[in-house]
Amino acid sequence: MDYLQPERLLSLLMGEKAKEYIAQAGHKTLTVIRLNPLKAKSENILSLLEEEGFKLIPLSFYPFAYQLEYEPFPVSKSLAHFAGLIYLQDPSSMLPALVLSPQPGETVLDLTAAPGSKTTLMATLMENEGVLVACDNSGKRLRALSFNLERWGVINTGWMRILGEQVGNLFFETFDKVLVDPPCTALGTLHKSPEILRWWKEGKVIKLARIQERLLISGLKALKPGGVLVYSTCTLTPHENEGVIQAILERYPVEIETIFLPKGFNRTPGLTSFLNFKFSSEMEKTIRLYPLANLGEGFFIANLRKKESFRGPLKTKELIKEEWYHYEKFKEITALSEHFRFDPHIFVQKRFFLNNHIRLATQALAEFSSPIPLQKGISFARPMGKKWRLTTNGITWLAPFITQNRIELDRMSLRGLISGHNLPAPSGHEGQQLLTYHECPLGYGWVKNGFLVSQLPARSVIV
């Protein structure tokens, strides 16, 4: 099957453009970021980036997406990136979450979530409300997912370590919407992953297609009847795209729905045939995004509707019970509200879980029952005797509500703190302080005996 060799396959799919695309392998084409509206206003984040020397172009398909026209240094080393105010993500990679369009109050599954680019975007689209469950089976990737969720300030999301193939039976017909973005040969990402051309093997394509099909079946089992599942890959091989969807159409009561893409993308309908392979005419409702024809990398997206209930599992597993508490149980919340002067009623629809770190989650997520351990929300505070000391992620989540004991830094004081120097504190400040720059929350410091001591772990940040 020589057509499964990448050069031959790309030629069949892209024609003369294939040579140009292969020539791009290893050459970064653009940097795109999205802003974090959960932490700060867009104008403040943009002001911070512009002061750092970045030149940005707004992108029409998503109001918080920007292309970097000029980078004085890698944006990954910027203060905005350190503070969780931006996320680097390819434009095409944002589309599956935008197509799924999860809403506040819904119960949503991200079946293969790590490292969290699509998960954090979905949490943003859900306005940090409802329930979002993120799954992966790699410990290393889950650590990246946990870090990104905490840094993004996501309190409506829980993550678990689990084989994706098991999720459908354990959470049978639980979710309103599901995203399945499985491992793939990533042929649409040659610009940043040229090694694909070296390790590519025909057998790997076939093996991944089987894994993708099993994951898609699991996602459909976890989906409620009438619910929507988006399947996406960053590869171009028909085996991993139309071939997987065709196998599902032939065996399960699902239908393909039309995808309405935002402006700025040149869509190509999914294939109804490829060489000797024949696919359903409905496959034209899926979309292919080819490199060079679009701003981002190559992608395939299918939007599936589950028409009726599936046969359920023979056995169910007992649900784990956890005690999450209302804020009124804690005098520490009153003390925090007095220190930072915020209305404690902001926690009415939130819940707290006590262990070595006090965790914060939405009420809906706290009440969501799981048969296996689910790490919910963010690390909000640590107990210090009879008081709570906010974590960096806790204080930056709380930042929009804090009106007292917050210090807006200028550039000189910011540099001093990051360099490890203690600075004279403004009068009237004592104890833990929210530190902001351009009104964007960075973390916290501590005022004692008239001096501000930084707790910003940012020595590698360029300022």
Side-chain angles (χ1 to χ4, degrees):
M1 295 190 290
D2 70 322
Y3 65 85
L4 281 182
Q5 297 308 309
E7 294 85 353
R8 170 70 171 150
L9 179 60
L10 289 170
S11 178
L12 289 169
L13 293 170
M14 298 177 65
E16 290 299 317
K17 288 287 186 180
K19 292 181 181 179
E20 184 182 349
Y21 176 52
I22 292 172
Q24 280 190 354
H27 299 284
K28 181 180 176 182
T29 54
L30 78 163
T31 301
V32 172
I33 62 170
R34 52 183 172 81
L35 312 184
N36 186 353
L38 303 181
K39 280 197 169 183
K41 295 179 180 179
S42 295
E43 56 266 33
N44 292 336
I45 302 174
L46 293 172
S47 176
L48 171 57
L49 287 164
E50 288 164 0
E51 183 189 281
E52 291 182 288
F54 296 95
K55 294 182 179 179
L56 302 99
I57 303 172
L59 299 175
S60 60
F61 70 91
Y62 178 55
F64 301 108
Y66 288 80
Q67 180 181 349
L68 293 182
E69 187 179 33
Y70 173 73
E71 294 180 72
F73 54 86
V75 73
S76 61
K77 293 189 177 296
S78 68
L79 189 61
H81 186 264
F82 152 76
L85 300 170
I86 61 171
Y87 201 111
L88 279 74
Q89 188 174 8
D90 183 88
S92 298
S93 176
M94 298 185 204
L95 284 179
L98 295 175
V99 170
L100 187 65
S101 187
Q103 299 299 305
E106 291 182 330
T107 302
V108 183
L109 171 66
D110 189 350
L111 188 65
T112 49
S117 55
K118 297 176 182 67
T119 318
T120 53
L121 176 52
M122 288 196 290
T124 304
L125 294 171
M126 296 172 74
E127 299 175 10
N128 228 352
E129 296 294 342
V131 175
L132 176 57
V133 175
C135 306
D136 212 281
N137 191 45
S138 164
K140 181 179 179 181
R141 288 171 60 82
L142 278 171
R143 285 191 291 274
L145 173 66
S146 174
F147 174 80
N148 286 325
L149 291 173
E150 292 262 2
R151 192 170 63 96
W152 204 249
V154 175
I155 64 168
N156 76 333
T157 303
W159 61 265
M160 68 177 73
R161 184 170 187 175
I162 185 174
L163 283 170
E165 292 89 338
Q166 298 175 341
V167 173
N169 287 331
L170 288 174
F171 294 89
F172 184 71
E173 298 191 340
T174 297
F175 297 95
D176 302 308
K177 293 178 179 176
V178 175
L179 175 65
V180 179
D181 185 72
C184 68
T185 52
L187 195 56
T189 67
L190 287 182
H191 63 289
K192 64 181 181 183
S193 306
E195 66 275 7
I196 292 169
L197 296 175
R198 296 194 296 271
W199 59 247
W200 183 284
K201 292 182 180 179
E202 173 187 306
K204 193 172 185 71
V205 176
I206 305 302
K207 179 181 178 181
L208 282 169
R210 291 171 182 159
I211 293 172
Q212 291 151 1
E213 185 177 331
R214 292 199 300 268
L215 290 170
L216 181 49
I217 292 169
S218 181
L220 286 168
K221 286 182 178 179
L223 184 65
K224 294 176 181 177
V228 171
L229 180 150
V230 167
Y231 173 86
S232 64
T233 74
C234 59
T235 196
L236 302 173
T237 62
H239 283 70
E240 300 175 79
N241 297 324
E242 290 89 351
V244 171
I245 301 300
Q246 182 68 32
I248 298 301
L249 290 178
E250 292 173 357
R251 296 168 57 195
Y252 293 94
V254 299
E255 59 186 2
I256 303 175
E257 295 204 330
T258 302
I259 294 172
F260 298 97
L261 279 186
K263 294 180 180 179
F265 291 91
N266 296 311
R267 63 184 293 162
T268 301
L271 303 173
T272 55
S273 65
F274 179 73
L275 299 178
N276 294 325
F277 298 96
K278 301 295 182 183
F279 307 117
S280 166
S281 60
E282 292 292 290
M283 212 65 70
E284 289 189 344
K285 294 179 181 179
T286 67
I287 62 170
R288 286 177 158 262
L289 298 172
Y290 285 106
L292 305 182
N294 287 283
L295 188 63
E297 56 199 28
F299 246 82
F300 172 86
I301 305 175
N303 193 22
L304 305 178
R305 175 80 63 179
K306 183 174 179 178
K307 294 192 292 184
E308 59 188 67
S309 182
F310 289 9
R311 180 182 297 175
L314 296 177
K315 295 182 179 180
T316 58
K317 197 170 180 180
E318 186 175 350
L319 300 177
I320 296 171
K321 295 182 180 180
E322 292 182 327
E323 292 291 336
W324 287 73
Y325 299 101
H326 193 272
Y327 82 94
E328 290 180 340
K329 177 180 174 64
F330 305 105
K331 294 180 180 179
E332 293 87 348
I333 292 294
T334 301
L336 284 174
S337 68
E338 291 172 352
H339 179 74
F340 289 110
R341 196 176 293 169
F342 64 83
D343 184 349
H345 286 91
I346 62 172
F347 293 113
V348 167
Q349 299 297 321
K350 313 293 186 293
R351 294 295 182 268
F352 293 95
F353 183 78
L354 273 67
N355 52 20
N356 293 334
H357 284 201
I358 294 107
R359 300 196 67 81
L360 171 69
T362 61
Q363 179 179 343
L365 179 61
E367 294 174 352
F368 180 83
S369 297
S370 169
I372 60 175
L374 185 63
Q375 182 82 330
K376 300 176 180 179
I378 63 170
S379 173
F380 180 74
R382 298 183 183 92
M384 291 182 61
K386 295 182 179 181
K387 297 182 178 180
W388 286 3
R389 176 175 180 172
L390 296 175
T391 64
T392 295
N393 296 317
I395 203 168
T396 54
W397 179 89
L398 194 59
F401 311 102
I402 291 176
T403 60
Q404 178 178 274
N405 283 314
R406 61 185 294 156
I407 298 175
E408 171 71 11
L409 303 171
D410 57 30
R411 194 163 188 81
M412 185 176 295
S413 59
L414 175 63
R415 284 177 171 171
L417 290 175
I418 288 178
S419 299
H421 300 295
N422 298 340
L423 303 177
S427 60
H429 290 254
E430 191 68 26
Q432 192 172 26
Q433 307 288 313
L434 168 67
L435 301 181
T436 65
Y437 187 63
H438 283 267
E439 296 299 323
C440 295
L442 304 181
Y444 69 89
W446 208 265
V447 171
K448 189 173 183 179
N449 299 325
F451 282 90
L452 174 62
V453 180
S454 172
Q455 301 293 317
L456 300 176
R459 292 181 183 273
S460 63
V461 173
I462 298 174
V463 292

